[in-house]
Amino acid sequence: MFYRESGQFKTGYAADQAIFPILQDRWSMLVILVVGFVGVPLIIDDYWANAVFIPFLAYALAALGLNILTGYCGQLSLGTGGFLAVGAYSSYKLMTAFPGMDMILVLLGAGAVTAMVGLLFGLPSLRIKGFYLAVATLAAQFFLIWLFYKVPWFYNYNATGQISVPPREALGFLVTTQKADVVVRYLFILSVVTVFAIAAKNMVRGRIGRSWMAIRDMDIAAELIGIRPFSTKLSAFAVSSFFIGVAGALIFSVWLGAAESGETFGILESFLVLFMIIVGGLGSILGSFLGAGFIVLMPIGLKNVLVDWFGMTAVFAKHVEITLFGVLIIFFLIVEPHGLARLWQIIKEKLRLWPFPH
Amino acid sequence: MKLRTWIATAAAAVVAIPLAVGSASAYELTVPSMDYRTGPYAPNGIPFANGWTDYWTMLNERDGGINGVKIKVVPCETAYNTKQGVECYEKTKKEGSGALVYQPLSTGITYQLIPKASVDQIPIHSMGYGRTSAANGKVFKWVFNFPATYWSQASALVKYIGEKEGGMDKLKGKKIYLVYHNSAYGKEPIRTLQELAKKHGFTYQGLAVDHPGQEQKATWLKIRREKPDWILMWGWGVMNQVAIKEAASIRFPMDRFIGVWWSGSENDVKPAGAAAKGYLSGAFHQPGANFPVHKDIIKHLYDAGKAPHPDFKDRVGEVLYNRGLVAAMWASEAVRKAMEIHKTKEITGAMMRDGYEALDVDEARLKELGAEGLTIPVKITCENHEGPRKVAVQQWDGKEWKIVSNFYEPDMDVIQPLIDEDSQKFAKENNITPRDCK
């Protein structure tokens, strides 16, 4: 009933090719954006910002990046943690080398550096596929983390190898360190993620996204219809790494404020982001957000419910949380192997017929 | 938009009402406990957390709190993970009447919290860990790292080695290797050791062990081949016991193998069995449960059935338990000082900071606290947040840890310039003007 699109006629190509061709989608998107940009800042405090919204958005961006590579172009990658670290360390180097640089430029710079590194590590994908590529990207993960421990230049020769973010502004607003207003930090990261999500959505709808998907579905057939695997695969690596690099820079500068390569961006991060897109939905922009929401927010939600409502001790709640979290992942994957995004799609189809299914 | 504002106000009101009622009911001294009872470092985390919690609970049970004000310990599980630590911090900082002090217990979490401390006005006591240059109170107003930093400890351990070799001049030509946890924590002593190597003419080499440290075959093969005279270790968690077992298997003399004070607890030596006998580590307090304060804890908590973790009774007095206890004792003294300075019983984090800065727990006071000889006297000043800077060496005799040396003072000629350099760098990066401590 609510989701019926009958009566919405499209009279031109532009309308037919809109990002959200259905009126209801456009409205709900608008509502989400208004809530995100206006509603949330009204109620946000340090806890909601630092423990919930900012990590969720940063990881959503990372998942978006990996989804481009793995979900859309079919190249399995386990190097996400390493690329996040490249983003973080290059943003740190940019911030300390050019103190007056605007944070937006820092983010773009960090993205560009990561894209370059991603290109380099994407080269093996031209020869190897599937699990073998996963191993090659795993090598990237270990190499990059090792590099950031080994070469003191990356952390400006300080005693411990920890990098700490200096205070920096974006368009005149302080966005890094604890001194920055939480609302400003939240709005900054939200704007960045919104822009990148729109860019991703448009990319995957366009020529480049279609060629990624063609390679994913069958690379030989794609080659036969004139898609060059070389530029297609490498562009997927570059774009994906760009996103992940920006996410890494945001995790370091806006969320955490200090980082250490192995601890913050270890192999676990790679798996975490991979789980996000598997749970959320491979090849889906919405899925990246749902997956990030699930993986980032579920443990925190569980913890708060178990400790605050059921009065468990912190340690017992932790054990329950670890178990329950695993069970939930398995449950969701059994119920819908194609991820939460697919679940949403099914709900949408049901809603179209509701309340009169035939 | 109007509806949304309404909902927001309503939601805020619903949340705020119980909070308002709660805070109106009574002021409590709120002390967060950053536990890690899960994960690879849990064996070290549990005794510390129990020592910390038991002391506060004992004050409640025995004295009815501090100066009549009850204490509320708020545990939060970090699993020794930085990101979960940040979540814990944000969650607990406004708990009850507001958190008074954080004991982050992980170098990673400490680095996260240092910039937050000055903004939220809650002091951090990173006891012997965290950022070493925080010893410079002029720059790091909100951070305390007494009784001694890793740099001081490295220097003290080298002094011990010098003493055993028969004088600092005998160090020339000796080989001293460092086996370290490959993280910010493990890297702390490197620069100090390099400087000391230059000064005393010994050969220094660092051997990194990656998290979590179960695989060290290559490291010890290298040691067997190159035969260093002494080995220092900056290890944590499972890495310690693996290293001790490996050292035993290559028959490295245990009394020439010295761990940092985080590598010297019962958990580290027991798995290696008899082979661990003679192993050394740094220390700033005594192990054992024979002090009056322990007796009070047993009497008022464990025997009275009020202990938060009743099955821990047999382990009261372990090295890390005592460390948690000592940390809580200093914090409670800082609470007293803060109440005295500000002449109020309802202190805030900012007042607590003043309490820490004026902390002076001398021998006499330790005796009053039932902890005579348990640890060293501490006196903090505005410019020196590191306090006494004294480190002793303890030895595992196969059954228990015993302190076997004097307390050494570090070589400040080497360390002070390093602290100044690092803290100046931090001040510059973060636009901090160092305080004037006059």
Side-chain angles (χ1 to χ4, degrees):
Chain A
M1 191 168 72
F2 303 115
Y3 219 78
R4 198 162 300 156
E5 67 226 52
S6 57
Q8 298 179 23
F9 300 111
K10 295 172 180 95
T11 50
Y13 286 117
D16 202 31
Q17 291 174 349
I19 296 188
F20 299 108
I22 304 170
L23 187 68
Q24 285 88 336
D25 278 350
R26 277 201 293 276
W27 275 107
S28 48
M29 205 60 224
L30 197 68
V31 169
I32 290 173
L33 284 178
V34 169
V35 170
F37 278 98
V38 184
V40 174
L42 287 176
I43 54 164
I44 203 165
D45 62 6
D46 277 2
Y47 181 73
W48 280 96
N50 289 333
V52 179
F53 285 110
I54 291 177
F56 161 65
L57 288 167
Y59 276 109
L61 187 59
L64 207 57
L66 186 64
N67 223 336
I68 288 174
L69 184 65
T70 307
Y72 284 100
C73 196
Q75 310 298 309
L76 188 54
S77 166
L78 288 177
T80 318
F83 295 133
L84 286 171
V86 175
Y89 278 80
S90 49
S91 70
Y92 174 70
K93 286 305 288 184
L94 285 171
M95 275 188 261
T96 46
F98 307 103
M101 203 172 188
D102 194 271
M103 263 312 281
I104 295 172
L105 290 179
V106 169
L107 288 184
L108 294 178
V113 172
T114 319
M116 237 105 73
V117 177
L119 266 184
L120 196 68
F121 285 99
L123 284 176
S125 71
L126 303 174
R127 298 297 293 270
I128 49 182
K129 283 188 243 180
F131 291 126
Y132 300 94
L133 181 65
V135 174
T137 50
L138 195 62
Q141 165 78 38
F142 286 119
F143 170 75
L144 290 168
I145 296 304
W146 171 83
L147 185 74
F148 293 128
Y149 270 129
K150 190 71 193 164
V151 183
W153 180 79
F154 287 113
Y155 47 86
N156 286 357
Y157 303 95
N158 63 29
T160 56
Q162 280 265 4
I163 51 173
S164 299
V165 70
R168 290 291 178 268
E169 296 176 345
L171 305 176
F173 293 99
L174 188 67
V175 291
T176 64
T177 72
Q178 193 73 0
K179 289 192 200 84
D181 190 27
V182 275
V183 175
V184 175
R185 277 162 59 210
Y186 164 76
L187 285 177
F188 175 66
I189 193 165
L190 181 67
S191 321
V192 173
V193 174
T194 310
V195 168
F196 276 88
I198 293 172
K201 184 79 187 165
N202 278 312
M203 254 187 281
V204 298
R205 297 186 322 135
R207 191 191 61 79
I208 186 166
R210 280 154 205 262
S211 58
W212 288 339
M213 285 184 262
I215 290 279
R216 171 191 68 188
D217 291 339
M218 194 175 180
D219 49 353
I220 297 179
E223 225 176 322
L224 283 174
I225 58 171
I227 293 170
R228 294 177 61 204
F230 179 77
S231 53
T232 313
K233 281 182 180 174
L234 286 189
S235 66
F237 264 100
V239 172
S240 151
S241 306
F242 193 96
F243 277 58
I244 294 173
V246 173
L250 287 171
I251 285 176
F252 161 62
S253 61
V254 178
W255 179 31
L256 293 176
E260 184 187 338
S261 68
E263 223 257 325
T264 322
F265 303 110
I267 179 78
L268 270 178
E269 290 303 285
S270 300
F271 285 121
L272 221 52
V273 180
L274 189 64
F275 294 159
M276 282 173 200
I277 64 170
I278 292 174
V279 172
L282 287 166
S284 157
I285 302 289
L286 175 69
S288 314
F289 284 88
L290 294 178
F294 184 87
I295 302 268
V296 175
L297 306 184
M298 188 62 89
I300 297 174
L302 276 178
K303 173 178 157 175
N304 285 332
V305 168
L306 293 175
V307 175
D308 295 350
W309 295 4
F310 291 101
M312 290 184 189
T313 61
V315 56
F316 187 62
K318 184 80 196 170
H319 288 296
V320 175
E321 174 204 314
I322 294 169
T323 325
L324 215 55
F325 186 56
V327 170
L328 277 173
I329 290 181
I330 296 172
F331 172 76
F332 271 111
L333 287 180
I334 290 174
V335 172
E336 187 42 70
H338 294 286
L340 298 173
R342 173 81 186 134
L343 211 60
W344 168 238
Q345 213 172 4
I346 293 171
I347 293 171
K348 235 160 87 168
E349 275 161 24
K350 292 248 159 79
L351 272 178
R352 272 175 161 172
L353 301 174
W354 189 82
F356 302 115
H358 6 239
Chain B
M1 198 35 242
K2 197 148 199 194
L3 179 71
R4 206 144 287 286
T5 330
W6 259 105
I7 294 171
T9 332
V14 169
V15 175
I17 287 166
L19 275 182
V21 173
S23 56
S25 65
Y27 173 88
E28 285 177 313
L29 297 161
T30 309
V31 195
S33 175
M34 304 284 262
D35 295 1
Y36 48 107
R37 299 170 186 270
T38 63
Y41 303 101
N44 299 96
I46 292 167
F48 188 97
N50 283 346
W52 172 261
T53 313
D54 280 359
Y55 189 78
W56 294 111
T57 321
M58 190 269 289
L59 288 182
N60 269 346
E61 296 295 330
R62 189 188 65 186
D63 312 338
I66 297 176
N67 295 341
V69 189
K70 282 269 181 193
I71 304 147
K72 182 181 171 195
V73 180
V74 185
C76 191
E77 175 66 30
T78 69
Y80 204 70
N81 173 299
T82 306
K83 287 165 192 160
Q84 291 178 38
V86 172
E87 198 259 345
C88 270
Y89 171 80
E90 296 292 354
K91 189 167 164 52
T92 52
K93 75 180 183 193
K94 293 215 179 91
E95 188 91 22
S97 316
L100 290 179
V101 59
Y102 276 89
Q103 182 76 248
L105 284 176
S106 127
T107 303
I109 300 176
T110 311
Y111 271 74
Q112 301 287 337
L113 299 192
I114 287 172
K116 296 187 201 285
S118 57
V119 179
D120 292 331
Q121 311 238 310
I122 304 172
I124 292 172
H125 180 203
S126 52
M127 188 175 66
Y129 55 88
R131 188 168 191 137
T132 296
S133 59
N136 183 351
K138 286 182 185 166
V139 174
F140 294 91
K141 188 177 165 192
W142 293 89
V143 190
F144 299 85
N145 56 6
F146 62 86
T149 63
Y150 290 134
W151 296 356
S152 303
Q153 189 169 180
S155 167
L157 296 182
V158 169
K159 276 199 172 169
Y160 173 82
I161 293 174
E163 193 184 282
K164 288 283 154 189
E165 293 285 354
M168 295 310 273
D169 50 324
K170 298 271 171 31
L171 284 177
K172 205 169 182 69
K174 295 275 185 250
K175 276 198 248 181
I176 301 178
Y177 281 21
L178 170 72
V179 177
Y180 66 96
H181 193 265
N182 199 359
S183 64
Y185 151 66
K187 286 171 128 172
E188 282 277 3
I190 294 178
R191 196 175 288 181
T192 312
L193 289 174
Q194 282 168 340
E195 295 292 325
L196 289 170
K198 254 185 263 167
K199 185 173 170 185
H200 298 297
F202 61 84
T203 315
Y204 157 80
Q205 193 172 3
L207 304 169
V209 173
D210 280 320
H211 161 92
Q214 261 139 340
E215 180 43 58
Q216 301 180 24
K217 284 268 182 265
T219 310
W220 290 93
L221 194 68
K222 192 175 164 71
I223 288 172
R224 192 167 79 173
R225 223 173 24 230
E226 303 189 3
K227 294 195 182 66
D229 298 285
W230 290 83
I231 299 177
L232 299 176
M233 173 161 73
W234 250 249
W236 190 221
V238 69
M239 170 183 167
N240 293 336
Q241 32 174 294
V242 175
I244 294 169
K245 278 191 224 165
E246 292 284 349
S249 75
I250 64 164
R251 297 184 194 285
F252 189 85
M254 279 296 159
D255 55 358
R256 293 180 157 250
F257 184 15
I258 316 175
V260 69
W261 55 40
W262 299 112
S263 303
S265 73
E266 288 80 2
N267 300 312
D268 303 321
V269 285
K270 279 190 178 152
K277 202 176 158 186
Y279 171 71
L280 302 160
S281 94
F284 62 82
H285 58 76
Q286 296 276 1
N290 300 323
F291 300 90
V293 59
H294 291 92
K295 299 208 168 98
D296 280 351
I297 284 177
I298 297 283
K299 185 173 144 207
H300 292 278
L301 297 187
Y302 289 91
D303 290 348
K306 299 224 169 108
H309 299 275
D311 49 353
F312 207 76
K313 189 175 174 186
D314 299 339
R315 296 178 60 191
V316 167
E318 282 192 0
V319 173
L320 289 172
Y321 181 92
N322 281 6
R323 195 158 304 159
L325 189 152
V326 167
M329 197 173 74
W330 280 329
S332 66
E333 285 304 294
V335 169
R336 278 182 231 274
K337 268 276 184 277
M339 287 176 168
E340 193 185 310
I341 295 170
H342 290 276
K343 301 190 176 56
T344 170
K345 287 186 174 174
E346 306 197 352
I347 58 167
T348 61
M351 296 177 186
M352 182 73 174
R353 194 208 73 81
D354 298 338
Y356 263 111
E357 201 151 82
L359 193 66
D360 185 5
V361 185
D362 53 13
E363 299 276 8
R365 183 64 191 148
L366 278 176
K367 192 169 180 186
E368 286 166 30
L369 291 168
E372 192 185 12
L374 176 63
T375 186
I376 41 178
V378 163
K379 186 169 167 39
I380 308 301
T381 60
C382 167
E383 58 275 276
N384 176 13
H385 282 192
E386 191 189 344
R389 294 191 177 110
K390 277 186 185 158
V391 182
V393 172
Q394 59 176 6
Q395 188 165 37
W396 176 250
D397 67 2
K399 284 195 204 71
E400 55 183 9
W401 284 100
K402 278 202 187 102
I403 291 196
V404 292
S405 77
N406 311 322
F407 278 84
Y408 297 93
E409 300 216 4
D411 190 344
M412 289 314 284
D413 297 348
V414 174
I415 293 170
Q416 196 60 50
L418 295 176
I419 289 179
D420 289 344
E421 182 198 346
D422 195 66
S423 53
Q424 292 312 329
K425 209 161 101 188
F426 180 85
K428 204 170 137 232
E429 275 178 13
N430 290 281
N431 312 328
I432 295 171
T433 322
R435 293 189 286 167
D436 191 7
C437 276
K438 295 286 146 50

